[in-house]
Structure formats: C-alpha cells, structure tokens
Amino acid sequence: MTPEELSLAISACLKDAVAAGEIALSASAVPDEVRVERPKNREHGDWATNIALQLSKQAGTNPREFATILSARLKSIDGVSAVDIAGPGFLNITVDAAAAGALAKAIVEAGRDYGTTTTLAGHVVNMEFVSANPTGPLHIGHTRWAALGDAIARVLRASGAEVTAEYYINDAGSQMNVFANSVYSRLHGLPVPEGGYPGQYIADLGHDVLSAHPDIRELTEVAALPVIRAAAYKAQLKDIKDTLADFGVAFDVYFSEQELHDAGAIESAVARLREQGHVFDDGGAVWLRTTDFGDDKDRVMIRANGEPTYFAADAAYYLSKKDRGFTEKIYLLGADHHGYINRLKAIAACAGDDPDVNIEVLIGQLVSVNGAKLSKRAGNIIELKDLIDWLGKDAVRYSLARFPADSPLTLDPDLLKKHSNENPVFYVQYAHARTRGAARNAVAAGVDRSAFEASLLDHATENELLSYLGSYPSIVAKAAELREPHRVARHLEVIAGAYHRWYDACRIAPMGDEPVTDVNRTRLWLNDATSQVLANGLDLLGVSAPERM
RNA sequence: GCGCCCAUAGCUCAGCUGGAUAGAGCGUCUGUCUACGGAACAGAAGGCCGGGGGUUCGAAUCCCUCUGGGCGCACCA
C-alpha cells in the first residue's frame, strides 16, 4: 500500500459517505486525492490526514464528528488495520505489515521506473539555464544553475514532461569585441584594456589562437581582431561545453544570439510585436510598451542609431521558443537578473501568450565562497572545472542540489574539501554502497529472492523504511511541480537514515550457521528496493550511485 | 527613493504551501562492536523560528509594520 493508494481510497470513502448522505457536502467539494502525511510521532499511526479539520466547516459539523463518520468507512479499506481519531480531529491510520511490505517487491519489479509519474504529461518545456557569456570559463555562479537546472530537467522528465534543455550563447554583443581586444592585448604583451577581461585564461586563449593562426601577430589590429574574435570564441565555447560534460550536464540545444541577428529575427520580432499593437516610436527609437503588462518602464528595442538592443534579441529569442512549440518557457536566472522578470513576462504577454502559464522565471541567489563575491571581470573567479577536480563532480552537484535556489548559500571550501561524512553526499552514497554490499553478502550466504512474504516485514524500522520508500514518487512529483529538486535530495537523506536504522536492527543474511529462511529472503527484497530508490534518486540529481566506496 | 530575495540550534541549512512535542547534518558530551561494511546506530545538551501587531479552532508558514543582510532599477551586454 503506497500513500497514493491510501489517498485515493480515503477519497473514495469520502465520496461514498457523501453519496450515502452521512456527510452534507457537495460531491465537487471532495478532493480527488486526500493528502496523507507521515506523522512525526509513531504513536500516531503509519499515516495521518487532517481532512476532517479541513472539510468539517463546509459540512456544517465539527471535526471530530466528521472524523468519526469517516473513520467507520476507512476501517473497511483493504490493508488498513486501525483508524484512530486524535486531537481536534486528526485521523491516524495504521496499515498492516503485509499491505505495507508488498511495496518492497513492487519497487524491485518497477526498477528504474519507480518514481516516474505522468503528472506533467503533455507539458512541452523549454528550460534555459547557465547561458554564460562565451567570454570566459564557467565559474561557481554558473555552477549552481548547472547543477540545479539539470536536476530540474531530469525531475520534469521523470514526471512525464517533454523537456528541451537550452543554452543561449550571448555571442553578438559588444562584450565579444572587448573579449577580442583582451586576447589581442595579451598576444602583444600589452596591458589589459580599459574594461577588458583579465585572467590567465585570456593568455591561454591567446595560445589557442596562435596555434590556429601562427601569423596572427603579423596582422594589423584591424585585420587581426575578427580572426581572434572568431578563434577565441570557438575555443572558449568548446571549453564551456567540455566542462559541462564533465559535470554531467547535457544541453539539447546551444542557441546562438548571433544567428538570430543573421536570420533577421530581430526585425521580424519588432514587426510581429508591432502587429500585436505593443510597439511605438519615440525619440527616434523603437519601443515595446512593456508597461502594459506590469513592467515599470517601457523598453527600447531599436536605438535611435538603428542598433537593436539586447532586449530586442530577448524578444526575438522568446518568439523563437514560441515558434518551436514550447508551451512553457522556463528561465533560470541569477538574483542579479531579477529585474528581468517583469520585462520577460511582458514580452510573453506582448506576444499574445499568458505570462502566468507560458513563461516562468526562476531566480536563484548567488553562491558565495568565504564571503567573497566572485567576479569574472575581476579575475578572482573559482572555475567550475577546478571545483570538479578539487571536490569531485558528485560532491559539488549534490551540495548545490540539496538546497533550494532562493536562499543565499555560502559554501565553505575547507568543509567541502573534506572527503568525509561531513558532506551529506557521502551519507547517501554510502547508504547505497551499503545496500549493494549487504546484497553481495546475503547472496554469498545463500540468500536469494525466491520467496517474498510481505507480512514478515513487521519490524518498526521496516515499517518506517517502507513508508519513506512509498512516498518517494510523490516527492519526485512535488519536486517537479515546484521545480525544487532539493526535495529529492532531502528525502534520500531520510531514506538513508531509515535504512541504516533498519540495517542495525534487522539482519538480512543469517548469522553464522543459521539456515536461510523466508525472513532473510524477504528482507533481501527490501534491501534491493532501497538500493533501487537511492539509485533512482541520485540519478535525478546527476550523482552517481557507487557499488563500493 | 522604488522593487525582488532572505532572516529557524554554536555552524551550514530543511520544514512536504496553515496542523499534533519545530527537524537533519556537522560541532560538543555519553553510550553500542568476538562487526551481513563503524563512512553506522542509540542517547544528551543546545530554539522567544529577527522584533511588534493582525487573520482563526491552530501561524516558522498567510497579511501589515519595523530592524538587519543580499541584489536590482541603461537607447550596457
């Protein structure tokens, strides 16, 4: 019995009670699924619901009376062994061991599919994240979104959504010229130009350019700059892609801003938005009236000098996503871009979309290290590449994925540097390795899965572990719905803890010369079910599930 | 000045969108091993959930208001 099954059964009982006239509610007031929670206190049963507290007012009765009527029907649910009414009207439900234990076998049989649902089926999602300028290496600021964005994409897919992960390359702006100038200066041993990019990587890019174009130093500045710009851009973008691959982050599409310009998409975007009636001319510039849709000021699309703005490219890019058939466009942006929310939503509205449905802008607080703010331009960056080499992909990805995006996060490098159980990733990975080790030992001792007797999983720690395994799918679905993959990570930590407690209390393999019994065999199913859930969950976070550590 | 985010144990942070005695890891202290992997488990100490009002059966959670942090307000990209 999973919490979902219980939830549906409770809802059915409610509907029956309404139909029988025992509760004065309209049928539409009964929710299809009743939320059941795992009570903190074990004396409160296996599962609890506060549905009586929520609906009694509408039903014109008091919560305890409501609960009494409902509990009589809940007792007849197959697998429910007891129903108690507590406090102001909580319903505490106890499930018998056989009904709870059956889950272990179901999980093993579902395998990698356990935890996938269809709650977001039909959603065609474009998820844009990272999108770092191709003028420098990825640093820790991008790291958070790389880890989180990839995990969100995976969680969405697990919930049935069709997701395209997309990286927008800002390769068209004036920063590309600054970038080329910076490399040019390095090649000629000149100081970093005003506002240019410092940092060793500029010199490294110079070497890349030099090996591709050995005569680059002989060219005049005017002739050299376009060559440098193209070659350094190519090398830097490759570096970014390689780093993301090392981080286990896969993008389906790398979208070039320059190609938008080359294809005339800016002009056609202005024309299309003008048709929608939201474009106006003022002071020689072309504007989009974003204030019609909640922005605090209108935005220039084409400057008085005829040059398009970055904002115009944003609008063209949005239209591209719309044209490509995405019903939901999700943007993951850093907190320093939160001012973009309104204008991006206004673009969607101007394009005729519903800004509450078709576009979603997620804002993440920036990660800091040792209190120092990181700046690409200042050159004191911590590169993603170095972080991976330093701490390992798994530790970095897990550390970033286990916190929600909207709270400030301070990473202590000295703490993260330690490969010890101070880092929660090891707690979860170790639990998985332990399940594998326990299975190897059990098999060596002659235990197999030839028998499964669910009612034998009756220890308190088994009840606890089963309930957490059972709520895993709804946690994944919730994480997808709210775009909060940290919920998965936290739940894995809960499962790992429950597993360790079970492992301490209940042996899988027989002790010494004792014979193998169905208790051992059945426990092996539960062990393997735990293994499967931990592996599935870690995979959603892009973290490996090691066989041994 | 206007706007967004944040404030919970000594530290880093959860808290399932309003529920029962507010949790985890680390740190501190005390226990459990002739060990299916001790990278574990059990227990203790540690909280005015930033302050003050309000909403209701019930608030860390929702509303208002202070305080204190982070960030943003371009015909830059």
mmCIF file of all heavy atoms in Angstrom, chain A residues 44-71:
data_model
loop_
_atom_site.group_PDB
_atom_site.id
_atom_site.type_symbol
_atom_site.label_atom_id
_atom_site.label_comp_id
_atom_site.label_asym_id
_atom_site.label_seq_id
_atom_site.Cartn_x
_atom_site.Cartn_y
_atom_site.Cartn_z
ATOM 1 N N HIS A 44 1.121 7.947 16.515
ATOM 2 C CA HIS A 44 0.028 8.485 15.707
ATOM 3 C C HIS A 44 -0.207 7.664 14.445
ATOM 4 O O HIS A 44 -0.765 8.154 13.468
ATOM 5 C CB HIS A 44 0.294 9.943 15.355
ATOM 6 C CG HIS A 44 0.251 10.856 16.548
ATOM 7 N ND1 HIS A 44 0.971 12.020 16.631
ATOM 8 C CD2 HIS A 44 -0.410 10.740 17.723
ATOM 9 C CE1 HIS A 44 0.739 12.596 17.806
ATOM 10 N NE2 HIS A 44 -0.087 11.840 18.485
ATOM 11 N N GLY A 45 0.248 6.422 14.465
ATOM 12 C CA GLY A 45 -0.036 5.542 13.342
ATOM 13 C C GLY A 45 0.951 5.682 12.206
ATOM 14 O O GLY A 45 1.956 6.372 12.305
ATOM 15 N N ASP A 46 0.648 4.978 11.108
ATOM 16 C CA ASP A 46 1.531 4.996 9.954
ATOM 17 C C ASP A 46 1.308 6.229 9.088
ATOM 18 O O ASP A 46 2.238 6.793 8.528
ATOM 19 C CB ASP A 46 1.306 3.738 9.102
ATOM 20 C CG ASP A 46 1.676 2.474 9.867
ATOM 21 O OD1 ASP A 46 2.621 2.531 10.669
ATOM 22 O OD2 ASP A 46 1.019 1.437 9.665
ATOM 23 N N TRP A 47 0.065 6.596 8.950
ATOM 24 C CA TRP A 47 -0.280 7.737 8.108
ATOM 25 C C TRP A 47 -1.364 8.537 8.810
ATOM 26 O O TRP A 47 -2.159 7.976 9.548
ATOM 27 C CB TRP A 47 -0.783 7.266 6.729
ATOM 28 C CG TRP A 47 0.238 6.476 5.986
ATOM 29 C CD1 TRP A 47 0.287 5.117 5.857
ATOM 30 C CD2 TRP A 47 1.384 6.969 5.297
ATOM 31 N NE1 TRP A 47 1.384 4.743 5.133
ATOM 32 C CE2 TRP A 47 2.080 5.862 4.777
ATOM 33 C CE3 TRP A 47 1.907 8.252 5.068
ATOM 34 C CZ2 TRP A 47 3.256 5.990 4.047
ATOM 35 C CZ3 TRP A 47 3.077 8.382 4.338
ATOM 36 C CH2 TRP A 47 3.741 7.245 3.833
ATOM 37 N N ALA A 48 -1.363 9.826 8.555
ATOM 38 C CA ALA A 48 -2.363 10.679 9.175
ATOM 39 C C ALA A 48 -2.926 11.645 8.144
ATOM 40 O O ALA A 48 -2.241 12.017 7.195
ATOM 41 C CB ALA A 48 -1.744 11.471 10.327
ATOM 42 N N THR A 49 -4.189 12.011 8.342
ATOM 43 C CA THR A 49 -4.773 13.022 7.460
ATOM 44 C C THR A 49 -5.572 14.022 8.295
ATOM 45 O O THR A 49 -6.144 13.677 9.334
ATOM 46 C CB THR A 49 -5.686 12.389 6.388
ATOM 47 O OG1 THR A 49 -6.271 13.433 5.616
ATOM 48 C CG2 THR A 49 -6.783 11.547 7.019
ATOM 49 N N ASN A 50 -5.559 15.251 7.842
ATOM 50 C CA ASN A 50 -6.311 16.297 8.548
ATOM 51 C C ASN A 50 -7.554 16.686 7.763
ATOM 52 O O ASN A 50 -8.094 17.770 7.940
ATOM 53 C CB ASN A 50 -5.415 17.525 8.768
ATOM 54 C CG ASN A 50 -4.945 18.136 7.454
ATOM 55 O OD1 ASN A 50 -5.212 17.592 6.386
ATOM 56 N ND2 ASN A 50 -4.264 19.256 7.537
ATOM 57 N N ILE A 51 -8.006 15.776 6.903
ATOM 58 C CA ILE A 51 -9.119 16.100 6.007
ATOM 59 C C ILE A 51 -10.376 16.497 6.771
ATOM 60 O O ILE A 51 -11.132 17.371 6.327
ATOM 61 C CB ILE A 51 -9.397 14.901 5.058
ATOM 62 C CG1 ILE A 51 -10.358 15.291 3.944
ATOM 63 C CG2 ILE A 51 -9.927 13.695 5.834
ATOM 64 C CD1 ILE A 51 -9.773 16.262 2.963
ATOM 65 N N ALA A 52 -10.577 15.892 7.939
ATOM 66 C CA ALA A 52 -11.779 16.221 8.711
ATOM 67 C C ALA A 52 -11.728 17.667 9.197
ATOM 68 O O ALA A 52 -12.744 18.364 9.221
ATOM 69 C CB ALA A 52 -11.899 15.269 9.899
ATOM 70 N N LEU A 53 -10.529 18.120 9.556
ATOM 71 C CA LEU A 53 -10.372 19.503 10.009
ATOM 72 C C LEU A 53 -10.640 20.476 8.874
ATOM 73 O O LEU A 53 -11.149 21.572 9.056
ATOM 74 C CB LEU A 53 -8.949 19.710 10.561
ATOM 75 C CG LEU A 53 -8.672 18.988 11.873
ATOM 76 C CD1 LEU A 53 -7.205 18.615 11.996
ATOM 77 C CD2 LEU A 53 -9.070 19.866 13.036
ATOM 78 N N GLN A 54 -10.259 20.045 7.667
ATOM 79 C CA GLN A 54 -10.393 20.952 6.529
ATOM 80 C C GLN A 54 -11.820 21.045 6.012
ATOM 81 O O GLN A 54 -12.250 22.104 5.559
ATOM 82 C CB GLN A 54 -9.466 20.493 5.398
ATOM 83 C CG GLN A 54 -7.998 20.716 5.737
ATOM 84 C CD GLN A 54 -7.073 20.266 4.611
ATOM 85 O OE1 GLN A 54 -7.484 19.515 3.737
ATOM 86 N NE2 GLN A 54 -5.840 20.731 4.656
ATOM 87 N N LEU A 55 -12.532 19.918 6.043
ATOM 88 C CA LEU A 55 -13.849 19.908 5.402
ATOM 89 C C LEU A 55 -15.035 20.054 6.349
ATOM 90 O O LEU A 55 -16.154 20.277 5.907
ATOM 91 C CB LEU A 55 -14.016 18.606 4.600
ATOM 92 C CG LEU A 55 -13.070 18.420 3.406
ATOM 93 C CD1 LEU A 55 -13.387 17.122 2.675
ATOM 94 C CD2 LEU A 55 -13.163 19.594 2.436
ATOM 95 N N SER A 56 -14.788 19.924 7.647
ATOM 96 C CA SER A 56 -15.933 19.888 8.560
ATOM 97 C C SER A 56 -16.734 21.186 8.552
ATOM 98 O O SER A 56 -17.960 21.162 8.659
ATOM 99 C CB SER A 56 -15.465 19.585 9.984
ATOM 100 O OG SER A 56 -14.646 20.626 10.461
ATOM 101 N N LYS A 57 -16.051 22.310 8.382
ATOM 102 C CA LYS A 57 -16.768 23.587 8.390
ATOM 103 C C LYS A 57 -17.768 23.647 7.236
ATOM 104 O O LYS A 57 -18.932 23.996 7.419
ATOM 105 C CB LYS A 57 -15.770 24.746 8.310
ATOM 106 C CG LYS A 57 -16.425 26.107 8.540
ATOM 107 C CD LYS A 57 -15.418 27.236 8.589
ATOM 108 C CE LYS A 57 -14.691 27.318 9.919
ATOM 109 N NZ LYS A 57 -13.722 28.442 9.937
ATOM 110 N N GLN A 58 -17.300 23.251 6.046
ATOM 111 C CA GLN A 58 -18.183 23.224 4.882
ATOM 112 C C GLN A 58 -19.351 22.259 5.097
ATOM 113 O O GLN A 58 -20.448 22.480 4.594
ATOM 114 C CB GLN A 58 -17.424 22.750 3.633
ATOM 115 C CG GLN A 58 -16.422 23.747 3.079
ATOM 116 C CD GLN A 58 -15.737 23.190 1.845
ATOM 117 O OE1 GLN A 58 -16.393 22.832 0.880
ATOM 118 N NE2 GLN A 58 -14.424 23.097 1.889
ATOM 119 N N ALA A 59 -19.060 21.178 5.830
ATOM 120 C CA ALA A 59 -20.095 20.158 6.010
ATOM 121 C C ALA A 59 -21.044 20.521 7.156
ATOM 122 O O ALA A 59 -21.970 19.782 7.447
ATOM 123 C CB ALA A 59 -19.442 18.804 6.284
ATOM 124 N N GLY A 60 -20.754 21.637 7.808
ATOM 125 C CA GLY A 60 -21.641 22.091 8.865
ATOM 126 C C GLY A 60 -21.608 21.225 10.107
ATOM 127 O O GLY A 60 -22.608 21.073 10.804
ATOM 128 N N THR A 61 -20.480 20.638 10.370
ATOM 129 C CA THR A 61 -20.358 19.816 11.560
ATOM 130 C C THR A 61 -19.024 20.132 12.225
ATOM 131 O O THR A 61 -18.281 20.965 11.742
ATOM 132 C CB THR A 61 -20.455 18.321 11.183
ATOM 133 O OG1 THR A 61 -20.304 17.549 12.369
ATOM 134 C CG2 THR A 61 -19.367 17.941 10.205
ATOM 135 N N ASN A 62 -18.733 19.436 13.331
ATOM 136 C CA ASN A 62 -17.430 19.687 13.934
ATOM 137 C C ASN A 62 -16.447 18.600 13.504
ATOM 138 O O ASN A 62 -16.847 17.502 13.111
ATOM 139 C CB ASN A 62 -17.545 19.800 15.456
ATOM 140 C CG ASN A 62 -17.821 18.471 16.114
ATOM 141 O OD1 ASN A 62 -17.014 17.551 16.032
ATOM 142 N ND2 ASN A 62 -18.975 18.371 16.757
ATOM 143 N N PRO A 63 -15.148 18.898 13.572
ATOM 144 C CA PRO A 63 -14.140 17.992 13.015
ATOM 145 C C PRO A 63 -14.190 16.583 13.584
ATOM 146 O O PRO A 63 -14.062 15.610 12.848
ATOM 147 C CB PRO A 63 -12.815 18.679 13.374
ATOM 148 C CG PRO A 63 -13.153 20.114 13.539
ATOM 149 C CD PRO A 63 -14.555 20.144 14.062
ATOM 150 N N ARG A 64 -14.424 16.471 14.877
ATOM 151 C CA ARG A 64 -14.393 15.124 15.474
ATOM 152 C C ARG A 64 -15.575 14.284 15.004
ATOM 153 O O ARG A 64 -15.445 13.081 14.774
ATOM 154 C CB ARG A 64 -14.362 15.219 17.005
ATOM 155 C CG ARG A 64 -12.987 15.585 17.548
ATOM 156 C CD ARG A 64 -12.839 15.234 19.021
ATOM 157 N NE ARG A 64 -12.769 13.805 19.269
ATOM 158 C CZ ARG A 64 -11.637 13.145 19.500
ATOM 159 N NH1 ARG A 64 -10.482 13.775 19.493
ATOM 160 N NH2 ARG A 64 -11.659 11.855 19.731
ATOM 161 N N GLU A 65 -16.702 14.920 14.840
ATOM 162 C CA GLU A 65 -17.873 14.195 14.364
ATOM 163 C C GLU A 65 -17.657 13.732 12.934
ATOM 164 O O GLU A 65 -17.937 12.595 12.563
ATOM 165 C CB GLU A 65 -19.097 15.127 14.447
ATOM 166 C CG GLU A 65 -20.419 14.410 14.463
ATOM 167 C CD GLU A 65 -21.547 15.396 14.760
ATOM 168 O OE1 GLU A 65 -21.407 16.180 15.742
ATOM 169 O OE2 GLU A 65 -22.519 15.398 13.997
ATOM 170 N N PHE A 66 -17.105 14.649 12.120
ATOM 171 C CA PHE A 66 -16.756 14.340 10.732
ATOM 172 C C PHE A 66 -15.807 13.148 10.705
ATOM 173 O O PHE A 66 -15.979 12.193 9.930
ATOM 174 C CB PHE A 66 -16.106 15.581 10.113
ATOM 175 C CG PHE A 66 -15.924 15.514 8.625
ATOM 176 C CD1 PHE A 66 -16.723 16.270 7.766
ATOM 177 C CD2 PHE A 66 -14.935 14.711 8.078
ATOM 178 C CE1 PHE A 66 -16.545 16.225 6.393
ATOM 179 C CE2 PHE A 66 -14.748 14.664 6.703
ATOM 180 C CZ PHE A 66 -15.556 15.425 5.857
ATOM 181 N N ALA A 67 -14.811 13.212 11.565
ATOM 182 C CA ALA A 67 -13.791 12.159 11.593
ATOM 183 C C ALA A 67 -14.395 10.817 11.996
ATOM 184 O O ALA A 67 -14.015 9.770 11.473
ATOM 185 C CB ALA A 67 -12.662 12.545 12.540
ATOM 186 N N THR A 68 -15.338 10.866 12.899
ATOM 187 C CA THR A 68 -15.960 9.625 13.361
ATOM 188 C C THR A 68 -16.707 8.930 12.224
ATOM 189 O O THR A 68 -16.587 7.720 12.026
ATOM 190 C CB THR A 68 -16.935 9.929 14.515
ATOM 191 O OG1 THR A 68 -16.222 10.615 15.536
ATOM 192 C CG2 THR A 68 -17.526 8.648 15.062
ATOM 193 N N ILE A 69 -17.468 9.731 11.471
ATOM 194 C CA ILE A 69 -18.211 9.163 10.345
ATOM 195 C C ILE A 69 -17.249 8.551 9.329
ATOM 196 O O ILE A 69 -17.440 7.436 8.842
ATOM 197 C CB ILE A 69 -19.070 10.259 9.678
ATOM 198 C CG1 ILE A 69 -20.144 10.753 10.650
ATOM 199 C CG2 ILE A 69 -19.673 9.753 8.377
ATOM 200 C CD1 ILE A 69 -20.830 12.021 10.196
ATOM 201 N N LEU A 70 -16.193 9.302 9.030
ATOM 202 C CA LEU A 70 -15.254 8.846 8.011
ATOM 203 C C LEU A 70 -14.475 7.618 8.475
ATOM 204 O O LEU A 70 -14.230 6.690 7.701
ATOM 205 C CB LEU A 70 -14.301 9.994 7.657
ATOM 206 C CG LEU A 70 -13.342 9.755 6.488
ATOM 207 C CD1 LEU A 70 -14.102 9.344 5.230
ATOM 208 C CD2 LEU A 70 -12.517 11.001 6.215
ATOM 209 N N SER A 71 -14.114 7.599 9.748
ATOM 210 C CA SER A 71 -13.255 6.510 10.231
ATOM 211 C C SER A 71 -13.955 5.160 10.109
ATOM 212 O O SER A 71 -13.318 4.139 9.853
ATOM 213 C CB SER A 71 -12.832 6.765 11.674
ATOM 214 O OG SER A 71 -13.893 6.522 12.554
#
